[in-house]
Amino acid sequence: MTSAPTPDMTPAEAESVYFNNYPPPKSLPKHEALARAFVDYHVQANRRLVLVTSGGTTVPLENQTVRFIDNFSAGTRGAVSAEYFLQQGYAVIFLHRQFSLLPYSRHYSHSTNCFLDFMDEEPVPDVEGASESDHRPIVVRSEYQDQMRDVLRKYRYAKRNNLLLLLPFTTISEYLFELRSLAQLMRPLGSNALFYLAAAVSDFFIPSDRMSEHKIQSSELPEHLSQGQATDGSDIYTGGLEAQQPSRSKRLVIDLDPVPKFLHRLVDGWAPDGSMVVSFKLETDPNLLVYKAQTALRRYAHHLVIGNLLTTRKWEVVFVTPDAPHERWIRVPKSRRSKSISGSEAQVGLAEAKRAGDSASGETSGGQQGEKTTSEGVEIESLIIPELVLLHSNMIAKHSPQ
Ligand code: PMT
């Protein structure tokens, strides 16, 4: 029997083939216990709860993984959005790629905002007899006090009130197991449940029956040691000797299968009745964005696709919905956009203009409700989340008994 779902299978068949061929992640039972208690707690409080997925998934090339395929996502969208959901009174399960950005601590994270730059030793008091000591307390530098107090208070509030559950994953298979379990555990929430799928999920993977157990060798092994290493072209790792090369290096040819799209199963099977499902669509070609978002909405019959372009995702997104207006752009006004090294402001408005004929509307802004300006500019999630909360409120109202 194949270990990879095929295109002719129903979504339910694809589900059972996929999940029967992978061992569940070791951390799943612990995560399920934490999630069950978290969901129960918020069901009792009749609180809304959002599952935010965040960061990229890896695709291992070996069972005992040395190498893997990854993607660009840092988890910014997910981490920032989680903060705004908490601000709106939601409880948040934050299903995130391990070591990607986290709500609150993302303000002081490794590469962009090194936390050490925010700290100092307390100055020596300017009084007689005071001396330079080896034990001066560490303090937050004065220019960061207000911002850090604000972040710290929000973080502590979320922790004290059991509003934030952090659950990590690494591989695509871990992500899918976790997503399925969490969605099923969220059933008692009914329409109070919201799914906000911002993770950049791998589209391709290596099925378990074609996965190398050990580290793939980059050079030829003697016959008696090469058991289990692929040597012929029928395997995914072909890597024969390069004829002209004087070295004994091999080429690595990787043959990936499509990951089944489980959005179908989430919407139709795993998620609670009446819950709201929001997926993201990322594209790099402005011509494709709206079309791909509409196609996803039609195919999976969920409630909202938020489309974004790689180069403009910090400043604009498009809400694609089944109901009018069907396509709505949310943008940070030009004067309030943060700088982004990887972004390209010149592309703002392109994905909309391409469709509408020519009327680039890159300067229009989204709703202002709840928006927050930081020294780096307005975070677009401060515009997205309040809009989304309104849509969720409408759905909840539709499902409540009259
Ligand atoms: O983390 P950042 O650096 O801030 O970047 C944020 C982001 C650009 C990653 C985010 O805003 C975003 O767009 N995420 C979705 C990326 C995407 O286009 O995914 P997709 O087209 O592969 O999948 C679309 C949807 O289908 C996703 O919501 C996903 O949950 C779902 N999916 C995907 C693959 C799969 N096998 N099954 C699925 O159900």
Side-chain angles (χ1 to χ4, degrees):
M1 167 144 170
T2 175
S3 71
T6 54
D8 53 320
M9 289 178 183
T10 65
E13 285 165 348
E15 175 184 344
S16 78
V17 169
Y18 184 89
F19 287 100
N20 288 336
N21 271 286
Y22 285 90
K26 290 200 180 78
S27 50
L28 190 65
K30 184 173 146 220
H31 288 182
E32 285 176 334
L34 290 169
R36 191 174 288 111
F38 190 78
V39 168
D40 282 354
Y41 181 80
H42 294 293
V43 168
Q44 298 302 322
N46 194 25
R47 188 173 284 113
R48 296 184 192 182
L49 191 153
V50 59
L51 171 65
V52 175
T53 71
S54 185
T57 58
T58 68
V59 175
L61 301 189
E62 300 122 341
N63 263 332
Q64 297 189 39
T65 308
V66 174
R67 304 186 185 90
F68 55 84
I69 302 173
D70 203 350
N71 65 47
F72 73 97
S73 171
T76 312
R77 173 81 78 225
V80 181
S81 299
E83 289 180 19
Y84 289 105
F85 276 120
L86 287 159
Q87 197 165 306
Q88 293 278 338
Y90 281 64
V92 176
I93 299 181
F94 191 66
L95 181 63
H96 63 284
R97 162 73 179 278
Q98 191 174 34
F99 307 131
S100 64
L101 295 178
L102 295 177
Y104 305 120
S105 73
R106 56 124 185 159
H107 296 272
Y108 311 103
S109 286
H110 31 283
S111 48
T112 39
N113 299 312
C114 174
F115 72 97
L116 293 172
D117 292 334
F118 291 79
M119 302 195 297
D120 232 334
E121 287 187 61
E122 201 168 67
V124 181
D126 191 15
V127 292
E128 211 178 313
S131 65
E132 190 77 33
S133 142
D134 273 350
H135 300 289
R136 280 187 289 152
I138 304 294
V139 291
V140 172
R141 291 171 60 168
S142 57
E143 64 269 42
Y144 299 121
Q145 290 277 338
D146 288 345
Q147 189 230 15
M148 194 178 265
R149 187 181 305 104
D150 184 46
V151 174
L152 184 64
R153 282 184 182 165
K154 287 175 178 160
Y155 169 72
R156 293 177 72 105
Y157 180 85
K159 279 199 82 168
R160 209 173 39 244
N161 293 288
N162 189 27
L163 290 167
L164 177 61
L165 178 63
L166 305 176
L167 300 176
F169 63 81
T170 303
T171 66
I172 171 73
S173 145
E174 287 169 7
Y175 169 82
L176 292 171
F177 269 99
E178 296 272 352
L179 180 65
R180 180 171 75 158
S181 284
L182 292 172
Q184 289 167 345
L185 288 168
M186 284 167 66
R187 282 187 187 156
L189 288 155
S191 59
N192 271 347
L194 173 61
F195 294 83
Y196 184 83
L197 307 171
V201 181
S202 320
D203 285 321
F204 305 101
F205 79 125
I206 301 177
S208 55
D209 59 356
R210 288 203 271 122
M211 180 93 91
S212 166
E213 175 61 26
H214 293 289
K215 182 187 163 199
I216 299 162
Q217 294 299 314
S218 59
S219 57
E220 287 292 294
L221 290 174
E223 183 112 3
H224 70 285
L225 291 177
S226 65
Q227 297 305 311
Q229 288 287 326
T231 52
D232 67 11
S234 63
D235 277 307
I236 47 167
Y237 306 114
T238 53
L241 278 176
E242 299 263 342
Q244 319 86 318
Q245 299 257 336
S247 79
R248 292 175 62 77
S249 295
K250 296 204 292 182
R251 280 191 321 134
L252 175 60
V253 178
I254 304 170
D255 182 3
L256 301 167
D257 275 22
V259 175
K261 290 273 184 197
F262 283 121
L263 206 44
H264 233 294
R265 293 298 297 142
L266 177 74
V267 175
D268 242 13
W270 308 340
D273 285 343
S275 59
M276 180 172 186
V277 177
V278 179
S279 73
F280 276 78
K281 176 50 73 183
L282 173 73
E283 290 298 334
T284 56
D285 181 348
N287 288 310
L288 293 184
L289 182 64
V290 173
Y291 167 79
K292 293 293 290 282
Q294 288 170 336
T295 307
L297 192 68
R298 257 196 315 275
R299 181 169 298 150
Y300 303 114
H302 54 306
H303 308 103
L304 169 66
V305 177
I306 302 181
N308 51 180
L309 285 179
L310 186 66
T311 49
T312 62
R313 68 189 193 279
K314 304 229 189 272
W315 308 307
E316 66 172 1
V317 298
V318 58
F319 275 29
V320 175
T321 48
D323 301 322
H326 304 294
E327 175 187 334
R328 197 156 72 79
W329 286 85
I330 292 182
R331 290 200 177 91
V332 176
K334 192 173 175 50
S335 60
R336 308 175 83 175
R337 288 181 197 148
S338 55
K339 295 285 159 257
S340 161
I341 301 167
S342 57
S344 161
E345 260 198 276
Q347 301 217 343
V348 171
L350 279 190
E352 182 179 10
K354 294 279 181 214
R355 286 174 31 81
D358 207 1
S359 58
S361 48
E363 307 316 318
T364 61
S365 82
Q368 306 299 304
Q369 196 189 354
E371 91 172 21
K372 181 181 158 233
T373 311
T374 65
S375 52
E376 296 88 41
V378 169
E379 294 175 315
I380 193 165
E381 292 79 5
S382 70
L383 307 176
I384 295 173
I385 305 307
E387 294 292 327
L388 192 47
V389 169
L390 285 179
L391 294 176
H392 190 202
S393 299
N394 291 342
M395 273 198 66
I396 292 173
K398 266 198 230 157
H399 281 89
S400 353
Q402 298 302 308

